[in-house]
Amino acid sequence: MYKDVPHGAPMAGEHVMTDGTAATGVRITPRRKPGAPGTFLDKSVYQSSAFAKLENERLWPRSWQMVCREQDLESVGSFVTYDILDETIVVLRSSADEIRAFYNVCQHRGRRLLEGCGKTQRLFCKYHGWRWKLDGSIDRIPWRDDFADVTDGDVALEPVKVGLWQGWVFISLDPDIQPLEDYMKPISDTLAPFRQDLMRYRWRRSVMLEANWKVALEAFMEAYHAQCTHNHMEPYSDGRTVCDVHGLHGMFRDSELRRPLGMPSPLSSLPTPDDLRPNIAKFFEQLDVTLEALVTPADARGAQRLLTEVPEGAEFGEIMAALGRFQHEEAVKEGIERPPITYDDVRRAGQDWHIFPNMVLLPAPDSFLIYRARPDGHNVDRCRFDVFVLQRYAPGREPEIDSVTQIVENWEDADWPKIFEQDFINIADVHSGMKSSGFRGSITNPVQEAVVANFHRQLKRVVVDGAPIVQAG
């Protein structure tokens, strides 16, 4: 797929696939590139400094990137900083009805202005005391008369393009980028019934992972790994998925061949139970405990009611109808106002969306799970990885943001549910394993990992071919 990548630095796959000699001089057996067309991913795209340089020039400055939630910017003066490569951006609420973004640097001598997130009335440079208003205009220059040939416009903060989408705040360094509402087609219409803009943080965590940003993100673009990595869920769910590609973006959903919920995976040796109620209840309990996302405590309680309020011999359709009713009732008990989401809405939304380039979103009726990965500066072997869990709450019942936020360097220093620990161990071992001379590249599953393959097709088109980042209508 990447055979035309420029040779700014050695790209290991090219050496391996010719005479069988790896870049290290190790002799390995020559082989063809296996798999269906477009499904083999040369490992060099994760390791090559030349490819990373092209990403830095053609991907990050020209794409939409998610920064935060509008929830983070609810009051005037609230701000969040966002770093990508050498760029530092500040996003802030400049007035009750406007969110702005600027390059987060002093126009006098280039000092960084703000760190992290918080609230401020002005943007102040701690070097010489220059100060800006929240709209980016200059507010104070000590000894202003010394700068007779400098106008206020000359030293206004440099603006950055902002887009708002279903409660999320995006930025782009390209002032001429496609409007965000067009970029997000068809995801916007698909997810609109869920009203994620009304959800609030259940928890969020940010860590550094010892892996290329693509290795980290791709772990959450497919469910094919679940039958092995997360096999504690096998007794309760089939897990088979299929993928749909939508231009820049992609998604996976339940396979039409998938067994009903409560039946064990066909890959296991477990018998199909006569009564599915216990397995369905256990499925929701396990997700609530080992993921702490997508399933809410109200969902888990509703599922437990199946054991006492639905007869043992009930048909699957009767069980699922009761499940939906019980979960709705448990949410209402908490004062949660649920939008009118239908079964067809849930089916269309699927399980998982990759939003190009670096965001993955998993939808559920009362909870969303979101991932974001980005390079750690220019280091191809390390990335900043963020996890956001949203949940629907009764008005005024959502937790304080600071109380549910953890930012650490080592993922083991944060509190993670079991499923995330399993994924993070994989990510580190995949990234280190890819460096082996005995590995040429990934052979992606053409059915269940097509979103990963599409991601690389779009990367090649943008990064190697230099094509614009545009989502077709």
Side-chain angles (χ1 to χ4, degrees), residues 290-329:
T290 66
L291 187 66
E292 294 181 19
L294 299 179
V295 168
T296 69
D299 290 332
R301 290 196 305 272
Q304 287 299 315
R305 289 173 58 183
L306 294 174
L307 303 178
T308 57
E309 299 181 42
V310 175
E312 182 175 338
E315 297 292 331
F316 179 74
E318 180 184 350
I319 296 173
M320 296 306 291
L323 175 67
R325 185 171 66 253
F326 295 158
Q327 290 177 333
H328 178 77
E329 290 171 358

Side-chain angles (χ1 to χ4, degrees), residues 254-417:
D254 288 350
S255 168
E256 289 79 2
L257 301 176
R258 186 175 180 143
R259 292 178 172 184
L261 183 63
M263 291 189 180
S265 166
L267 298 178
S268 75
S269 57
L270 297 171
T272 300
D274 294 329
D275 182 5
L276 294 179
R277 296 172 309 143
N279 274 7
I280 293 174
K282 194 70 174 178
F283 172 83
F284 283 92
E285 176 191 296
Q286 283 293 302
L287 277 186
D288 185 37
V289 171
T290 66
L291 187 66
E292 294 181 19
L294 299 179
V295 168
T296 69
D299 290 332
R301 290 196 305 272
Q304 287 299 315
R305 289 173 58 183
L306 294 174
L307 303 178
T308 57
E309 299 181 42
V310 175
E312 182 175 338
E315 297 292 331
F316 179 74
E318 180 184 350
I319 296 173
M320 296 306 291
L323 175 67
R325 185 171 66 253
F326 295 158
Q327 290 177 333
H328 178 77
E329 290 171 358
E330 292 297 321
V332 170
K333 287 179 186 177
E334 294 186 5
I336 297 170
E337 300 175 3
R338 303 178 94 199
I341 302 169
T342 67
Y343 171 79
D344 285 341
D345 292 333
V346 175
R347 181 181 55 81
R348 280 192 296 269
Q351 292 188 36
D352 181 295
W353 283 87
H354 168 235
I355 301 173
F356 188 87
N358 67 326
M359 181 178 177
V360 168
L361 182 152
L362 286 72
D366 288 332
S367 178
F368 275 36
L369 171 59
I370 299 91
Y371 305 101
R372 178 182 66 191
R374 54 195 153 129
D376 175 25
H378 295 270
N379 187 347
V380 299
D381 294 318
R382 196 165 184 217
C383 70
R384 169 63 67 180
F385 193 80
D386 305 296
V387 182
F388 307 83
V389 177
L390 307 181
Q391 185 170 304
R392 212 177 301 284
Y393 288 94
R397 296 287 299 276
E398 65 272 13
E400 291 290 330
I401 295 177
D402 289 347
S403 70
V404 294
T405 300
Q406 286 185 292
I407 303 173
V408 298
E409 290 296 297
N410 186 338
W411 68 265
E412 294 176 323
D413 293 334
D415 301 321
W416 295 100

Side-chain angles (χ1 to χ4, degrees), residues 1 4 54 58 62 457 459-468:
M1 181 183 291
D4 298 323
L54 289 178
R58 298 177 178 179
R62 296 164 50 197
R457 278 194 297 273
L459 271 180
K460 178 183 182 299
R461 188 179 63 81
V462 170
V463 173
V464 179
D465 302 338

